[in-house]
Each structure stands twice: as structure tokens, then as C-alpha cells.
PDB file of all heavy atoms in Angstrom:
ATOM      1  N   ARG A 305       0.798  -1.158   0.044  1.00 70.00           N
ATOM      2  CA  ARG A 305       0.044  -0.050   0.033  1.00 70.00           C
ATOM      3  C   ARG A 305       0.763   1.240   0.025  1.00 70.00           C
ATOM      4  O   ARG A 305       0.457   2.255  -0.622  1.00 70.00           O
ATOM      5  CB  ARG A 305      -0.912  -0.042   1.233  1.00 70.00           C
ATOM      6  CG  ARG A 305      -2.014  -1.053   1.083  1.00 70.00           C
ATOM      7  CD  ARG A 305      -3.013  -1.022   2.247  1.00 70.00           C
ATOM      8  NE  ARG A 305      -4.011  -2.041   2.114  1.00 70.00           N
ATOM      9  CZ  ARG A 305      -5.036  -2.168   3.064  1.00 70.00           C
ATOM     10  NH1 ARG A 305      -5.085  -1.333   4.026  1.00 70.00           N
ATOM     11  NH2 ARG A 305      -5.920  -3.056   2.835  1.00 70.00           N
ATOM     12  N   GLU A 306       1.950   1.230   0.682  1.00 70.00           N
ATOM     13  CA  GLU A 306       2.833   2.376   0.700  1.00 70.00           C
ATOM     14  C   GLU A 306       3.438   2.611  -0.770  1.00 70.00           C
ATOM     15  O   GLU A 306       3.504   3.839  -1.174  1.00 70.00           O
ATOM     16  CB  GLU A 306       4.119   2.158   1.632  1.00 70.00           C
ATOM     17  CG  GLU A 306       3.675   2.154   3.023  1.00 70.00           C
ATOM     18  CD  GLU A 306       4.926   1.920   4.018  1.00 70.00           C
ATOM     19  OE1 GLU A 306       5.942   1.469   3.524  1.00 70.00           O
ATOM     20  OE2 GLU A 306       4.744   2.071   5.290  1.00 70.00           O
ATOM     21  N   ASN A 307       3.766   1.565  -1.460  1.00 69.00           N
ATOM     22  CA  ASN A 307       4.204   1.689  -2.808  1.00 69.00           C
ATOM     23  C   ASN A 307       3.115   2.233  -3.701  1.00 69.00           C
ATOM     24  O   ASN A 307       3.351   3.090  -4.595  1.00 69.00           O
ATOM     25  CB  ASN A 307       4.693   0.356  -3.339  1.00 69.00           C
ATOM     26  CG  ASN A 307       5.950  -0.104  -2.699  1.00 69.00           C
ATOM     27  OD1 ASN A 307       6.698   0.631  -2.100  1.00 69.00           O
ATOM     28  ND2 ASN A 307       6.192  -1.430  -2.704  1.00 69.00           N
ATOM     29  N   GLU A 308       1.920   1.814  -3.429  1.00 61.00           N
ATOM     30  CA  GLU A 308       0.651   2.307  -4.234  1.00 61.00           C
ATOM     31  C   GLU A 308       0.576   3.844  -3.972  1.00 61.00           C
ATOM     32  O   GLU A 308       0.301   4.554  -4.992  1.00 61.00           O
ATOM     33  CB  GLU A 308      -0.510   1.610  -3.884  1.00 61.00           C
ATOM     34  CG  GLU A 308      -0.580   0.163  -4.495  1.00 61.00           C
ATOM     35  CD  GLU A 308      -1.909  -0.565  -4.164  1.00 61.00           C
ATOM     36  OE1 GLU A 308      -2.631  -0.126  -3.221  1.00 61.00           O
ATOM     37  OE2 GLU A 308      -2.294  -1.565  -4.854  1.00 61.00           O
ATOM     38  N   VAL A 309       0.566   4.272  -2.826  1.00 55.00           N
ATOM     39  CA  VAL A 309       0.462   5.651  -2.512  1.00 55.00           C
ATOM     40  C   VAL A 309       1.544   6.464  -3.062  1.00 55.00           C
ATOM     41  O   VAL A 309       1.272   7.569  -3.668  1.00 55.00           O
ATOM     42  CB  VAL A 309       0.464   5.894  -0.971  1.00 55.00           C
ATOM     43  CG1 VAL A 309       0.470   7.328  -0.617  1.00 55.00           C
ATOM     44  CG2 VAL A 309      -0.868   5.204  -0.322  1.00 55.00           C
ATOM     45  N   GLU A 310       2.797   5.915  -2.953  1.00 65.00           N
ATOM     46  CA  GLU A 310       3.946   6.663  -3.596  1.00 65.00           C
ATOM     47  C   GLU A 310       3.718   6.771  -5.135  1.00 65.00           C
ATOM     48  O   GLU A 310       4.027   7.877  -5.710  1.00 65.00           O
ATOM     49  CB  GLU A 310       5.237   5.888  -3.267  1.00 65.00           C
ATOM     50  CG  GLU A 310       6.485   6.492  -3.781  1.00 65.00           C
ATOM     51  CD  GLU A 310       7.668   5.875  -3.391  1.00 65.00           C
ATOM     52  OE1 GLU A 310       7.632   4.958  -2.524  1.00 65.00           O
ATOM     53  OE2 GLU A 310       8.771   6.160  -3.978  1.00 65.00           O
ATOM     54  N   GLN A 311       3.330   5.718  -5.773  1.00 61.00           N
ATOM     55  CA  GLN A 311       3.145   5.761  -7.286  1.00 61.00           C
ATOM     56  C   GLN A 311       2.006   6.721  -7.617  1.00 61.00           C
ATOM     57  O   GLN A 311       2.121   7.473  -8.605  1.00 61.00           O
ATOM     58  CB  GLN A 311       2.814   4.355  -7.685  1.00 61.00           C
ATOM     59  CG  GLN A 311       3.934   3.372  -7.682  1.00 61.00           C
ATOM     60  CD  GLN A 311       3.562   1.953  -8.026  1.00 61.00           C
ATOM     61  OE1 GLN A 311       2.407   1.696  -8.399  1.00 61.00           O
ATOM     62  NE2 GLN A 311       4.488   1.038  -7.893  1.00 61.00           N
ATOM     63  N   LEU A 312       0.967   6.759  -6.739  1.00 50.00           N
ATOM     64  CA  LEU A 312      -0.194   7.633  -7.004  1.00 50.00           C
ATOM     65  C   LEU A 312       0.272   9.129  -6.859  1.00 50.00           C
ATOM     66  O   LEU A 312      -0.040  10.010  -7.695  1.00 50.00           O
ATOM     67  CB  LEU A 312      -1.278   7.401  -6.097  1.00 50.00           C
ATOM     68  CG  LEU A 312      -2.552   8.282  -6.130  1.00 50.00           C
ATOM     69  CD1 LEU A 312      -3.164   8.181  -7.613  1.00 50.00           C
ATOM     70  CD2 LEU A 312      -3.629   7.910  -5.186  1.00 50.00           C
ATOM     71  N   ASN A 313       1.051   9.351  -5.868  1.00 58.00           N
ATOM     72  CA  ASN A 313       1.600  10.698  -5.614  1.00 58.00           C
ATOM     73  C   ASN A 313       2.443  11.194  -6.783  1.00 58.00           C
ATOM     74  O   ASN A 313       2.358  12.304  -7.275  1.00 58.00           O
ATOM     75  CB  ASN A 313       2.326  10.823  -4.355  1.00 58.00           C
ATOM     76  CG  ASN A 313       1.485  10.851  -3.136  1.00 58.00           C
ATOM     77  OD1 ASN A 313       0.292  11.232  -3.233  1.00 58.00           O
ATOM     78  ND2 ASN A 313       2.047  10.405  -2.025  1.00 58.00           N
ATOM     79  N   ASP A 314       3.243  10.274  -7.312  1.00 63.00           N
ATOM     80  CA  ASP A 314       4.173  10.536  -8.417  1.00 63.00           C
ATOM     81  C   ASP A 314       3.374  10.759  -9.641  1.00 63.00           C
ATOM     82  O   ASP A 314       3.633  11.755 -10.489  1.00 63.00           O
ATOM     83  CB  ASP A 314       5.116   9.390  -8.540  1.00 63.00           C
ATOM     84  CG  ASP A 314       6.114   9.597  -9.712  1.00 63.00           C
ATOM     85  OD1 ASP A 314       6.939  10.502  -9.490  1.00 63.00           O
ATOM     86  OD2 ASP A 314       6.154   8.912 -10.762  1.00 63.00           O
ATOM     87  N   LYS A 315       2.304  10.055  -9.886  1.00 57.00           N
ATOM     88  CA  LYS A 315       1.449  10.291 -10.956  1.00 57.00           C
ATOM     89  C   LYS A 315       0.718  11.643 -10.958  1.00 57.00           C
ATOM     90  O   LYS A 315       0.647  12.312 -11.928  1.00 57.00           O
ATOM     91  CB  LYS A 315       0.455   9.156 -11.068  1.00 57.00           C
ATOM     92  CG  LYS A 315      -0.521   9.286 -12.257  1.00 57.00           C
ATOM     93  CD  LYS A 315      -1.464   8.036 -12.256  1.00 57.00           C
ATOM     94  CE  LYS A 315      -2.460   8.108 -13.453  1.00 57.00           C
ATOM     95  NZ  LYS A 315      -3.404   6.953 -13.437  1.00 57.00           N
ATOM     96  N   LEU A 316       0.203  11.880  -9.776  1.00 50.00           N
ATOM     97  CA  LEU A 316      -0.407  13.169  -9.695  1.00 50.00           C
ATOM     98  C   LEU A 316       0.451  14.354  -9.890  1.00 50.00           C
ATOM     99  O   LEU A 316       0.147  15.379 -10.466  1.00 50.00           O
ATOM    100  CB  LEU A 316      -1.104  13.267  -8.127  1.00 50.00           C
ATOM    101  CG  LEU A 316      -2.346  12.427  -7.988  1.00 50.00           C
ATOM    102  CD1 LEU A 316      -2.688  12.464  -6.501  1.00 50.00           C
ATOM    103  CD2 LEU A 316      -3.484  12.752  -8.858  1.00 50.00           C
ATOM    104  N   VAL A 317       1.710  14.298  -9.319  1.00 60.00           N
ATOM    105  CA  VAL A 317       2.719  15.364  -9.477  1.00 60.00           C
ATOM    106  C   VAL A 317       2.996  15.557 -10.978  1.00 60.00           C
ATOM    107  O   VAL A 317       3.025  16.678 -11.461  1.00 60.00           O
ATOM    108  CB  VAL A 317       3.931  15.063  -8.673  1.00 60.00           C
ATOM    109  CG1 VAL A 317       5.060  16.034  -9.127  1.00 60.00           C
ATOM    110  CG2 VAL A 317       3.661  15.185  -7.222  1.00 60.00           C
ATOM    111  N   LYS A 318       3.280  14.383 -11.595  1.00 58.00           N
ATOM    112  CA  LYS A 318       3.619  14.434 -13.045  1.00 58.00           C
ATOM    113  C   LYS A 318       2.450  15.029 -13.862  1.00 58.00           C
ATOM    114  O   LYS A 318       2.616  15.874 -14.778  1.00 58.00           O
ATOM    115  CB  LYS A 318       3.982  13.057 -13.553  1.00 58.00           C
ATOM    116  CG  LYS A 318       5.402  12.543 -13.132  1.00 58.00           C
ATOM    117  CD  LYS A 318       5.815  11.319 -13.721  1.00 58.00           C
ATOM    118  CE  LYS A 318       7.231  10.952 -13.412  1.00 58.00           C
ATOM    119  NZ  LYS A 318       7.656   9.641 -14.011  1.00 58.00           N
ATOM    120  N   GLN A 319       1.211  14.498 -13.621  1.00 56.00           N
ATOM    121  CA  GLN A 319       0.028  14.937 -14.412  1.00 56.00           C
ATOM    122  C   GLN A 319      -0.115  16.460 -14.244  1.00 56.00           C
ATOM    123  O   GLN A 319      -0.509  17.206 -15.203  1.00 56.00           O
ATOM    124  CB  GLN A 319      -1.188  14.278 -13.942  1.00 56.00           C
ATOM    125  CG  GLN A 319      -1.185  12.835 -14.560  1.00 56.00           C
ATOM    126  CD  GLN A 319      -2.477  12.031 -14.181  1.00 56.00           C
ATOM    127  OE1 GLN A 319      -3.242  12.519 -13.224  1.00 56.00           O
ATOM    128  NE2 GLN A 319      -2.743  11.060 -14.850  1.00 56.00           N
ATOM    129  N   GLY A 320       0.130  17.030 -13.048  1.00 65.00           N
ATOM    130  CA  GLY A 320      -0.012  18.466 -12.904  1.00 65.00           C
ATOM    131  C   GLY A 320       1.130  19.168 -13.514  1.00 65.00           C
ATOM    132  O   GLY A 320       0.960  20.241 -14.194  1.00 65.00           O
ATOM    133  N   LEU A 321       2.398  18.754 -13.347  1.00 68.00           N
ATOM    134  CA  LEU A 321       3.533  19.460 -13.841  1.00 68.00           C
ATOM    135  C   LEU A 321       3.685  19.458 -15.383  1.00 68.00           C
ATOM    136  O   LEU A 321       3.982  20.478 -15.990  1.00 68.00           O
ATOM    137  CB  LEU A 321       4.872  19.009 -13.246  1.00 68.00           C
ATOM    138  CG  LEU A 321       4.982  19.221 -11.761  1.00 68.00           C
ATOM    139  CD1 LEU A 321       6.325  18.619 -11.298  1.00 68.00           C
ATOM    140  CD2 LEU A 321       4.967  20.806 -11.425  1.00 68.00           C
ATOM    141  N   VAL A 322       3.316  18.354 -15.944  1.00 65.00           N
ATOM    142  CA  VAL A 322       3.456  18.244 -17.441  1.00 65.00           C
ATOM    143  C   VAL A 322       2.581  19.138 -18.152  1.00 65.00           C
ATOM    144  O   VAL A 322       2.703  19.330 -19.441  1.00 65.00           O
ATOM    145  CB  VAL A 322       3.298  16.750 -18.009  1.00 65.00           C
ATOM    146  CG1 VAL A 322       4.394  15.836 -17.381  1.00 65.00           C
ATOM    147  CG2 VAL A 322       1.935  16.203 -17.581  1.00 65.00           C
ATOM    148  N   ARG A 323       1.607  19.658 -17.509  1.00 67.00           N
ATOM    149  CA  ARG A 323       0.801  20.731 -18.337  1.00 67.00           C
ATOM    150  C   ARG A 323       1.439  22.027 -18.412  1.00 67.00           C
ATOM    151  O   ARG A 323       0.944  22.849 -19.143  1.00 67.00           O
ATOM    152  CB  ARG A 323      -0.591  20.803 -17.450  1.00 67.00           C
ATOM    153  CG  ARG A 323      -1.483  19.583 -17.464  1.00 67.00           C
ATOM    154  CD  ARG A 323      -2.714  19.850 -16.638  1.00 67.00           C
ATOM    155  NE  ARG A 323      -3.530  18.697 -16.696  1.00 67.00           N
ATOM    156  CZ  ARG A 323      -4.544  18.476 -17.650  1.00 67.00           C
ATOM    157  NH1 ARG A 323      -4.779  19.342 -18.545  1.00 67.00           N
ATOM    158  NH2 ARG A 323      -5.284  17.369 -17.518  1.00 67.00           N
ATOM    159  N   PHE A 324       2.549  22.226 -17.684  1.00 68.00           N
ATOM    160  CA  PHE A 324       3.229  23.545 -17.798  1.00 68.00           C
ATOM    161  C   PHE A 324       4.685  23.535 -18.133  1.00 68.00           C
ATOM    162  O   PHE A 324       5.179  24.365 -18.682  1.00 68.00           O
ATOM    163  CB  PHE A 324       3.092  24.219 -16.307  1.00 68.00           C
ATOM    164  CG  PHE A 324       1.733  24.304 -15.881  1.00 68.00           C
ATOM    165  CD1 PHE A 324       1.201  23.411 -14.965  1.00 68.00           C
ATOM    166  CD2 PHE A 324       0.924  25.425 -16.266  1.00 68.00           C
ATOM    167  CE1 PHE A 324      -0.081  23.490 -14.625  1.00 68.00           C
ATOM    168  CE2 PHE A 324      -0.366  25.512 -15.771  1.00 68.00           C
ATOM    169  CZ  PHE A 324      -0.915  24.560 -14.948  1.00 68.00           C
ATOM    170  N   LEU A 325       5.260  22.300 -17.836  1.00 70.00           N
ATOM    171  CA  LEU A 325       6.792  22.278 -17.967  1.00 70.00           C
ATOM    172  C   LEU A 325       7.187  21.154 -18.897  1.00 70.00           C
ATOM    173  O   LEU A 325       6.492  20.113 -19.124  1.00 70.00           O
ATOM    174  CB  LEU A 325       7.426  21.992 -16.550  1.00 70.00           C
ATOM    175  CG  LEU A 325       7.103  22.960 -15.473  1.00 70.00           C
ATOM    176  CD1 LEU A 325       7.615  22.427 -14.142  1.00 70.00           C
ATOM    177  CD2 LEU A 325       7.644  24.323 -15.767  1.00 70.00           C
ATOM    178  N   PRO A 326       8.321  21.301 -19.614  1.00 69.00           N
ATOM    179  CA  PRO A 326       8.924  20.315 -20.491  1.00 69.00           C
ATOM    180  C   PRO A 326       9.289  19.143 -19.653  1.00 69.00           C
ATOM    181  O   PRO A 326       9.584  19.247 -18.415  1.00 69.00           O
ATOM    182  CB  PRO A 326      10.153  21.009 -20.964  1.00 69.00           C
ATOM    183  CG  PRO A 326       9.959  22.521 -20.942  1.00 69.00           C
ATOM    184  CD  PRO A 326       9.117  22.581 -19.657  1.00 69.00           C
ATOM    185  N   PRO A 327       9.267  17.893 -20.230  1.00 73.00           N
ATOM    186  CA  PRO A 327       9.505  16.750 -19.467  1.00 73.00           C
ATOM    187  C   PRO A 327      10.811  16.603 -18.686  1.00 73.00           C
ATOM    188  O   PRO A 327      10.773  16.168 -17.589  1.00 73.00           O
ATOM    189  CB  PRO A 327       9.558  15.581 -20.636  1.00 73.00           C
ATOM    190  CG  PRO A 327       8.706  16.130 -21.672  1.00 73.00           C
ATOM    191  CD  PRO A 327       8.947  17.636 -21.671  1.00 73.00           C
ATOM    192  N   GLU A 328      11.934  17.174 -19.268  1.00 72.00           N
ATOM    193  CA  GLU A 328      13.153  17.172 -18.501  1.00 72.00           C
ATOM    194  C   GLU A 328      13.147  18.029 -17.262  1.00 72.00           C
ATOM    195  O   GLU A 328      13.830  17.664 -16.221  1.00 72.00           O
ATOM    196  CB  GLU A 328      14.326  17.643 -19.433  1.00 72.00           C
ATOM    197  CG  GLU A 328      14.219  19.124 -19.870  1.00 72.00           C
ATOM    198  CD  GLU A 328      13.536  19.204 -21.266  1.00 72.00           C
ATOM    199  OE1 GLU A 328      12.679  18.189 -21.557  1.00 72.00           O
ATOM    200  OE2 GLU A 328      13.716  20.333 -21.902  1.00 72.00           O
ATOM    201  N   ILE A 329      12.383  19.117 -17.247  1.00 73.00           N
ATOM    202  CA  ILE A 329      12.225  19.970 -16.026  1.00 73.00           C
ATOM    203  C   ILE A 329      11.319  19.202 -15.040  1.00 73.00           C
ATOM    204  O   ILE A 329      11.529  19.307 -13.812  1.00 73.00           O
ATOM    205  CB  ILE A 329      11.653  21.295 -16.375  1.00 73.00           C
ATOM    206  CG1 ILE A 329      12.714  22.099 -17.243  1.00 73.00           C
ATOM    207  CG2 ILE A 329      11.336  22.115 -15.198  1.00 73.00           C
ATOM    208  CD1 ILE A 329      12.278  23.547 -17.654  1.00 73.00           C
ATOM    209  N   VAL A 330      10.308  18.564 -15.484  1.00 75.00           N
ATOM    210  CA  VAL A 330       9.403  17.732 -14.548  1.00 75.00           C
ATOM    211  C   VAL A 330      10.271  16.683 -13.828  1.00 75.00           C
ATOM    212  O   VAL A 330      10.132  16.562 -12.605  1.00 75.00           O
ATOM    213  CB  VAL A 330       8.278  17.041 -15.377  1.00 75.00           C
ATOM    214  CG1 VAL A 330       7.578  16.032 -14.487  1.00 75.00           C
ATOM    215  CG2 VAL A 330       7.339  18.048 -15.974  1.00 75.00           C
ATOM    216  N   GLU A 331      11.136  16.015 -14.579  1.00 78.00           N
ATOM    217  CA  GLU A 331      12.016  14.950 -13.967  1.00 78.00           C
ATOM    218  C   GLU A 331      12.916  15.749 -12.918  1.00 78.00           C
ATOM    219  O   GLU A 331      13.259  15.095 -11.867  1.00 78.00           O
ATOM    220  CB  GLU A 331      12.761  14.231 -14.985  1.00 78.00           C
ATOM    221  CG  GLU A 331      11.954  13.367 -15.956  1.00 78.00           C
ATOM    222  CD  GLU A 331      11.164  12.413 -15.145  1.00 78.00           C
ATOM    223  OE1 GLU A 331      11.521  11.893 -14.209  1.00 78.00           O
ATOM    224  OE2 GLU A 331      10.001  12.142 -15.556  1.00 78.00           O
ATOM    225  N   GLY A 332      13.371  16.883 -13.243  1.00 78.00           N
ATOM    226  CA  GLY A 332      14.275  17.683 -12.282  1.00 78.00           C
ATOM    227  C   GLY A 332      13.561  18.039 -11.059  1.00 78.00           C
ATOM    228  O   GLY A 332      14.051  17.869  -9.959  1.00 78.00           O
ATOM    229  N   VAL A 333      12.307  18.397 -11.149  1.00 75.00           N
ATOM    230  CA  VAL A 333      11.511  18.721  -9.870  1.00 75.00           C
ATOM    231  C   VAL A 333      11.269  17.424  -9.125  1.00 75.00           C
ATOM    232  O   VAL A 333      11.357  17.425  -7.858  1.00 75.00           O
ATOM    233  CB  VAL A 333      10.131  19.352 -10.414  1.00 75.00           C
ATOM    234  CG1 VAL A 333       9.266  19.471  -9.193  1.00 75.00           C
ATOM    235  CG2 VAL A 333      10.340  20.704 -11.019  1.00 75.00           C
ATOM    236  N   ILE A 334      10.899  16.360  -9.771  1.00 75.00           N
ATOM    237  CA  ILE A 334      10.616  15.040  -8.988  1.00 75.00           C
ATOM    238  C   ILE A 334      11.879  14.521  -8.326  1.00 75.00           C
ATOM    239  O   ILE A 334      11.860  14.091  -7.290  1.00 75.00           O
ATOM    240  CB  ILE A 334       9.940  13.996 -10.079  1.00 75.00           C
ATOM    241  CG1 ILE A 334       8.585  14.520 -10.471  1.00 75.00           C
ATOM    242  CG2 ILE A 334       9.831  12.675  -9.162  1.00 75.00           C
ATOM    243  CD1 ILE A 334       8.002  13.594 -11.501  1.00 75.00           C
ATOM    244  N   SER A 335      12.953  14.648  -9.085  1.00 78.00           N
ATOM    245  CA  SER A 335      14.250  14.169  -8.415  1.00 78.00           C
ATOM    246  C   SER A 335      14.817  15.107  -7.357  1.00 78.00           C
ATOM    247  O   SER A 335      15.675  14.705  -6.674  1.00 78.00           O
ATOM    248  CB  SER A 335      15.298  14.059  -9.554  1.00 78.00           C
ATOM    249  OG  SER A 335      15.712  15.340 -10.025  1.00 78.00           O
TER     250      SER A 335
END
């Protein structure tokens, strides 16, 4: 369940950021 929550959070962050930022910058924010 912890892994599922982490994956969901990562998905939500990516879906929000990719609407504004290029992919390489999204990866920089997540990392």
C-alpha cells in the first residue's frame, strides 16, 4: 500500500507539472 500511495503521488505530480513544464524539467522537480 505504501508503494501504491507513492506511485499515485508521483502520478499526480507528473500529471500536474506536465501541463506547464517540459519533461526534462518535470523530472528535475521530481528528483
Side-chain angles (χ1 to χ4, degrees):
R305 291 185 179 181
E306 288 178 350
N307 290 336
E308 286 184 337
V309 171
E310 184 177 346
Q311 291 174 4
L312 178 59
N313 286 336
D314 184 62
K315 181 179 180 181
L316 291 174
V317 170
K318 284 187 175 180
Q319 286 183 342
L321 292 178
V322 296
R323 293 178 178 268
F324 304 96
L325 304 173
E328 64 271 18
I329 295 184
V330 172
E331 293 303 324
V333 172
I334 293 175
S335 68

